[in-house]
Amino acid sequence: MRAALQRVEANKGAPGIDGMPTEALRPLLHEHWPRIKQSLLDGSYRPAPVRRVEIPKPGGGVRQLGIPTVLDRLIQQALHQVLQPLFEPGFSEHSYGFRPKRSAQQAVTAAQEYVGEGRRWVVDIDLEKFFDRVNHDVLMARVVRKVGDRQVLRLIRRYLQAGVMENGVVSPQVEGTPQGGPLSPLLSNILLDDLDKELERRGHRFCRYADDCNIYVGSYKAGLRVFDSVCAFLRGRLRLKVNEAKSAVARPWKRKFLGYSMTCERQPRLKVADASVDRLRAKVRTLMRQGRGRSLQATVKALEPLLRGWFNYFRLGKVKKQLEDFDEWLRHRLRCIIWRQAKRSYTRAVMLMKRGLDEQRAWASATNGHGPWYNAGASHMNQAYPKRYFDACGLYSLLDEWRRLQLVS
């Protein structure tokens, strides 16, 4: 429980339906822990409903999260710490999500190796609203295989059935394991381990990260057969539904997996999926829109955590053109900020002359009648504010970081 408390406090997170912040958990336990402990031991403890939160999904739509109270997060975390060592040794080598010492980067690297071996078709399986559709009886039947303690089993089921509060109304939970609690990722792996074992029994090469599963085969016809049989297995054995609109049998370079894609060469190279770059651009636009009026240095500083975090995830990409294009686009937007902030033609002309343009060209550029976006991409602004200017400002460059990484590796 002490280890769980430290983990919950470190993770912080939003309050549940009671509004209690993480900082208030320790004082609560000092006062009420004997009563809470006794209710857990005698089986009378009742979890509170989770608070419904909707966040936008990268591909459109919303993802529904269920935020437990901080006390329930503590108990779930303690359960997770005890249950994971029981189940982890039996999980598949092809499962990468929510597991210690495993990552999305390992999954995409394995996918790249399968395609390089000649399996140049992928069966991309997308489960429809997986976390909202988990059948409680099917899931608990898998938990019972390694957990014999009735009190623990009863507590897990109560968490599954705790219900959801939305707009002050509590709705019962008859299926699903709400995303947002510490226990949910482990429960998802326990359920989908049956899929992993079935694919291993059939001798398939596959990568699964949470509910995202890619199976690599040698031909289109084989892919269709695998797709039909896996869909039947998921429906019949696990009572899960495949989202056929988002699933497909296709070439790996025409699909994305965990934000990555790959080239169509015999030995494919990993690349960042176009949709992932588009999402980054959208985040940059939002950040700049929120920070209108601040200095260029403040904008550059605000961008760094976003750009650094994005690159750290996509550091395996080997195609530099996307990063080069993004860097150019970002500098274009920053030049646009500089142009807008100058406001008047006189100020713009003086600004350009200070940056080394001759008087005639500076005045012609400042009074050309075009808008900020045109001028930000024109030769006069590129000459006045070249890449080295933004480097001196401390702008994080995806392309420069990529080149540095290639030299190191």
Side-chain angles (χ1 to χ4, degrees):
M1 292 303 300
R2 289 194 185 96
L5 176 60
Q6 290 174 357
R7 185 66 180 268
V8 169
E9 288 178 330
N11 289 343
K12 298 183 188 276
I17 62 169
D18 58 359
M20 180 184 291
T22 313
E23 295 77 16
L25 179 57
R26 193 175 287 263
L28 172 77
L29 295 174
H30 278 304
E31 185 175 352
H32 297 289
W33 174 244
R35 176 181 58 79
I36 297 168
K37 176 182 176 181
Q38 184 57 40
S39 66
L40 286 167
L41 291 174
D42 64 25
S44 62
Y45 182 83
R46 296 280 176 176
V50 298
R51 180 169 65 90
R52 173 71 78 208
V53 175
E54 293 184 346
I55 60 172
K57 294 173 73 172
V62 294
R63 176 177 284 112
Q64 294 187 331
L65 299 184
I67 309 299
T69 63
V70 288
L71 177 59
D72 282 327
R73 287 212 293 275
L74 171 73
I75 297 168
Q76 284 194 37
Q77 179 62 36
L79 278 170
H80 182 277
Q81 289 169 183
V82 175
L83 294 175
Q84 187 171 49
L86 295 177
F87 288 93
E88 176 64 30
F91 284 155
S92 168
E93 286 297 309
H94 303 282
S95 166
Y96 297 90
F98 310 128
R99 297 182 60 191
K101 298 181 180 179
R102 289 184 162 256
S103 66
Q105 285 85 356
Q106 291 174 329
V108 296
T109 299
Q112 179 189 18
E113 290 173 359
Y114 296 148
V115 177
E117 291 170 1
R119 296 175 176 84
R120 297 174 71 80
W121 289 89
V122 61
V123 182
D124 188 349
I125 301 289
D126 183 271
L127 295 174
E128 187 173 292
K129 296 182 179 179
F130 168 70
F131 285 93
D132 299 327
R133 298 282 175 84
V134 169
N135 183 283
H136 292 170
D137 292 333
V138 173
L139 172 58
M140 292 306 299
R142 271 75 189 159
V143 177
V144 165
R145 292 172 183 173
K146 294 189 184 247
V147 179
D149 190 307
R150 290 180 179 273
Q151 295 283 51
V152 171
L153 294 171
R154 186 181 296 116
L155 183 60
I156 293 172
R157 188 176 277 274
R158 282 178 179 171
Y159 272 117
L160 292 174
Q161 298 175 338
V164 175
M165 179 174 282
E166 196 168 11
N167 299 322
V169 179
V170 176
S171 305
Q173 196 83 355
V174 296
E175 62 178 2
T177 168
Q179 289 177 271
L183 200 54
S184 182
L186 176 61
L187 294 178
S188 70
N189 273 335
I190 291 172
L191 179 64
L192 290 174
D193 189 56
D194 274 25
L195 172 63
D196 298 339
K197 296 297 190 292
E198 178 65 16
L199 294 176
E200 286 177 346
R201 187 186 66 79
R202 298 181 187 183
H204 289 309
R205 299 290 184 270
F206 68 97
C207 302
R208 183 179 66 79
Y209 192 96
D211 58 334
D212 199 349
C213 183
N214 276 11
I215 308 164
Y216 295 88
V217 297
S219 70
Y220 180 67
K221 286 187 177 180
L224 292 177
R225 288 196 302 270
V226 169
F227 180 80
D228 291 340
S229 63
V230 169
C231 288
F233 175 85
L234 290 167
R235 282 194 304 268
R237 184 77 68 86
L238 301 181
R239 300 189 193 177
L240 295 170
K241 185 178 179 183
V242 172
N243 186 336
E244 297 194 10
K246 293 185 178 179
S247 303
V249 179
R251 295 291 195 181
W253 46 90
K254 293 187 177 179
R255 305 291 293 179
K256 62 182 176 70
F257 179 49
L258 302 177
Y260 281 87
S261 186
M262 59 184 75
T263 63
C264 60
E265 299 153 338
R266 185 172 294 276
Q267 290 300 320
R269 293 174 295 151
L270 290 175
K271 58 178 282 192
V272 182
D274 291 339
S276 300
V277 180
D278 292 342
R279 286 198 296 272
L280 177 61
R281 291 189 184 212
K283 289 179 180 178
V284 168
R285 288 190 190 99
T286 301
L287 189 148
M288 287 185 168
R289 199 176 298 120
Q290 292 169 346
R292 282 179 178 170
R294 63 186 169 196
S295 68
L296 181 71
Q297 286 72 19
T299 300
V300 167
K301 188 175 180 180
L303 284 169
E304 183 175 356
L306 171 64
L307 299 176
R308 190 179 293 277
W310 188 90
F311 183 81
N312 284 343
Y313 180 81
F314 288 106
R315 64 185 182 274
L316 298 183
K318 296 296 182 184
V319 179
K320 71 174 184 179
K321 183 66 166 64
Q322 296 165 303
L323 307 183
E324 192 173 29
D325 290 346
F326 176 85
D327 275 4
E328 289 178 1
W329 173 84
L330 179 58
R331 290 193 295 270
H332 191 151
R333 287 196 67 89
L334 292 173
R335 292 187 190 104
C336 193
I337 290 176
I338 295 170
W339 187 265
R340 284 180 184 276
Q341 289 181 344
K343 293 183 180 178
R344 295 184 302 147
S345 298
Y346 173 79
T347 314
R348 289 166 179 168
V350 171
M351 173 187 74
L352 291 173
M353 284 187 279
K354 283 182 178 179
R355 294 297 306 167
L357 271 68
D358 63 74
E359 183 177 355
Q360 182 180 355
R361 188 178 177 204
W363 276 105
S365 301
T367 57
N368 61 20
H370 291 289
W373 187 252
Y374 171 88
N375 280 286
S379 60
H380 52 270
M381 281 296 283
N382 276 275
Q383 182 180 333
Y385 295 93
K387 180 181 181 300
R388 62 179 177 272
Y389 172 83
F390 295 104
D391 291 343
C393 291
L395 180 64
Y396 187 89
S397 167
L398 298 182
L399 182 61
D400 288 351
E401 192 65 18
W402 181 86
R403 284 172 172 158
R404 186 194 64 78
L405 196 61
Q406 303 312 304
L407 289 174
V408 172
S409 58

